[in-house]
Amino acid sequence: MSLSPSTPFPKRLGFFTRLLDDTSPQERYRLATEQIAHAEQLGFDSAWIAQHHFHRDEGGLPAPLVFLAYVAANTRHIRLGTGIITLAMENALRVAEDASVLDLLSNGRLELGLGSGGTPSTFVPFGLNIETRGDAFAKNLAILRDAWQGKALEGEGNLLYPPAPQLNRRLWQATFSPEGGARAGAAGDGLMLSRTQPRPHDQPDLPLDVLQNRIIDAYLDALPASVEPRILGSRTAFVSDDAAEARRLAAKGLQKQADTARALAKREVGTSLDELIAAFDVHLGTPDQVIASLQRDTALARVTDLAFQVHSIDPPHPYILRSIELIAKHVAPALGWVRQTPKKIAKPQPLHFELSKETL
């Protein structure tokens, strides 16, 4: 299957960032906020951020809900998602509380993507180990669901405040496997598919869409008939006005990613630029080149949400802004996406809280 004019484009268009701009932490957060606001102005439906503990080169954003609270105050319409919170490392009740407050302040724009993964070494400072992450994830997910459903917590009269039953309908689970897809489907949650993922040892050249179509099949088979599918596909797409310049920037970013993959994951990848593009499932070039590349990805014909990121290329900030613009103006419309948000978005106004005499 391939995308064609008769194949409906995903309902929602997303921008994904791992906050990897080569600058200070404060400037990283500022630039990412500007990129998300730029995506909103151009009609993107959602923005997604990843959580990473300790490691600067993986993103360096340990507190995604805190960051999204700031982004919420600087945007009006774009939905704000986590892709992902590593729930196995978290205090589930604190996640439930922070998410309920953030959803309230953002006027119901929060989407919660969850996963059990993470770099093995990051579990150690939390007194955890990666071998038990599956059990920890399942336990914490159950706590989240119960808290948002308004079930009584331990201790007399304890209930989650503010209440947030709506968040149970906005959960997403990230997975690399059909088994994980089936779990997400059986729970009625959304399914999150990665921009790239490891291949089976006996099939190192298996195309990403073939691998992910198996996950989608398992998800849809397990999804209750009464539940609308939610499938988010994330893809690396760097769109430029100049194809040669796109390749030049990609060579630098992908080589750095390849070095990291060899050091941390002991993963063998090629050395030429085209080999790296294939290894990391990258779509890059002019709008026409990226459109043609995406049309060969059969999994994208089945997703409901499509989020684009520039990782692992990670070009300078102005190039990211231009890529966002070219996706919104050329790539997504060519594939059938229709803007749903207002074309003129007023600048957000600061929140004002007035104290009454009764509260003083």
Side-chain angles (χ1 to χ4, degrees), residues 24 42 137 226 342:
S24 68
L42 289 163
F137 176 80
S226 60

Side-chain angles (χ1 to χ4, degrees), residues 182-251:
R183 283 193 297 271
D189 294 336
L191 172 67
M192 303 187 79
L193 301 172
S194 179
R195 64 182 173 86
T196 188
Q197 66 180 79
R199 301 323 199 249
H201 291 297
D202 58 343
Q203 295 178 290
D205 298 321
L206 189 69
L208 179 65
D209 59 343
V210 173
L211 195 60
Q212 294 190 339
N213 274 323
R214 298 171 183 173
I215 303 173
I216 294 173
D217 288 340
Y219 171 77
L220 294 175
D221 287 345
L223 193 71
S226 60
V227 178
E228 190 76 17
R230 289 179 292 132
I231 305 171
L232 171 69
S234 180
R235 292 293 184 266
T236 294
F238 175 47
V239 191
S240 173
D241 297 291
D242 186 321
E245 186 172 55
R247 289 179 63 85
R248 177 181 64 80
L249 291 168

Side-chain angles (χ1 to χ4, degrees), residues 12 14 35 43 59 78 96 116 121 146 173 176 205 308 311 314 334 336 341:
R12 292 169 292 271
Q35 291 159 15
I78 197 166
S116 61
S121 64
D146 286 349
Q173 293 193 42
F176 281 165
D205 298 321
F308 290 114
H311 184 70
D314 304 318
T341 59

Side-chain angles (χ1 to χ4, degrees), residues 48 79 82 85 87 95-96 99 110-115 137 140-146 148-149 164-174 184-185 187-192 219 223 227-232:
W48 300 81
R79 302 196 66 76
T82 58
I85 291 175
L87 190 61
V95 173
L110 182 61
E111 303 283 338
L112 266 297
L114 307 172
F137 176 80
N140 285 346
L141 182 55
I143 293 171
L144 273 186
R145 293 191 197 279
D146 286 349
W148 286 333
Q149 285 172 2
Q166 72 280 1
L167 290 179
N168 269 323
R169 300 188 294 274
R170 292 194 237 127
L171 281 176
W172 301 74
Q173 293 193 42
D189 294 336
L191 172 67
M192 303 187 79
Y219 171 77
L223 193 71
V227 178
E228 190 76 17
R230 289 179 292 132
I231 305 171
L232 171 69

Side-chain angles (χ1 to χ4, degrees), residues 43-336:
F44 278 67
D45 302 290
S46 63
W48 300 81
I49 59 168
Q51 179 185 47
H52 288 283
H53 295 284
F54 312 128
H55 298 151
R56 177 188 185 277
D57 290 340
E58 285 297 305
L61 180 63
L65 297 179
V66 174
F67 175 72
L68 286 181
Y70 177 73
V71 174
N74 286 275
T75 54
R76 291 284 296 276
H77 299 283
I78 197 166
R79 302 196 66 76
L80 305 173
T82 58
I84 57 171
I85 291 175
T86 49
L87 190 61
M89 297 182 183
E90 300 290 330
N91 180 306
L93 278 179
R94 289 294 300 117
V95 173
E97 290 180 323
D98 288 349
S100 65
V101 172
L102 174 52
D103 196 51
L104 190 69
L105 293 176
S106 67
N107 198 25
R109 289 189 279 145
L110 182 61
E111 303 283 338
L112 266 297
L114 307 172
S116 61
T119 306
S121 64
T122 61
F123 283 78
V124 179
F126 290 97
L128 305 169
N129 66 76
I130 198 167
E131 286 74 24
T132 60
R133 62 180 174 171
D135 291 341
F137 176 80
K139 177 183 176 181
N140 285 346
L141 182 55
I143 293 171
L144 273 186
R145 293 191 197 279
D146 286 349
W148 286 333
Q149 285 172 2
K151 291 187 178 181
L153 306 173
E154 290 187 18
E156 186 176 350
N158 291 329
L159 296 172
L160 183 73
Y161 185 87
Q166 72 280 1
L167 290 179
N168 269 323
R169 300 188 294 274
R170 292 194 237 127
L171 281 176
W172 301 74
Q173 293 193 42
T175 184
F176 281 165
S177 71
E179 294 77 17
R183 283 193 297 271
D189 294 336
L191 172 67
M192 303 187 79
L193 301 172
S194 179
R195 64 182 173 86
T196 188
Q197 66 180 79
R199 301 323 199 249
H201 291 297
D202 58 343
Q203 295 178 290
D205 298 321
L206 189 69
L208 179 65
D209 59 343
V210 173
L211 195 60
Q212 294 190 339
N213 274 323
R214 298 171 183 173
I215 303 173
I216 294 173
D217 288 340
Y219 171 77
L220 294 175
D221 287 345
L223 193 71
S226 60
V227 178
E228 190 76 17
R230 289 179 292 132
I231 305 171
L232 171 69
S234 180
R235 292 293 184 266
T236 294
F238 175 47
V239 191
S240 173
D241 297 291
D242 186 321
E245 186 172 55
R247 289 179 63 85
R248 177 181 64 80
L249 291 168
K252 179 180 179 181
L254 292 177
Q255 186 57 60
K256 182 178 179 181
Q257 181 68 14
D259 293 341
T260 300
R262 295 186 188 103
L264 296 181
K266 310 299 181 184
R267 176 183 171 188
E268 288 301 320
V269 296
T271 56
S272 74
L273 177 57
D274 287 328
E275 286 174 325
L276 295 178
I277 288 171
F280 294 109
D281 301 297
V282 171
H283 305 267
L284 85 161
T286 64
D288 286 345
Q289 289 174 319
V290 172
I291 291 166
S293 180
L294 291 169
Q295 286 176 331
R296 295 190 289 270
D297 190 327
T298 65
L300 299 187
R302 307 177 70 190
V303 303
T304 60
D305 297 70
L306 179 55
F308 290 114
Q309 58 180 296
V310 295
H311 184 70
S312 297
I313 296 170
D314 304 318
H317 178 64
Y319 292 93
I320 296 175
L321 296 180
R322 182 58 176 160
S323 183
I324 291 169
E325 182 177 352
L326 291 171
I327 287 172
K329 292 186 175 181
H330 300 287
V331 175
L335 298 173

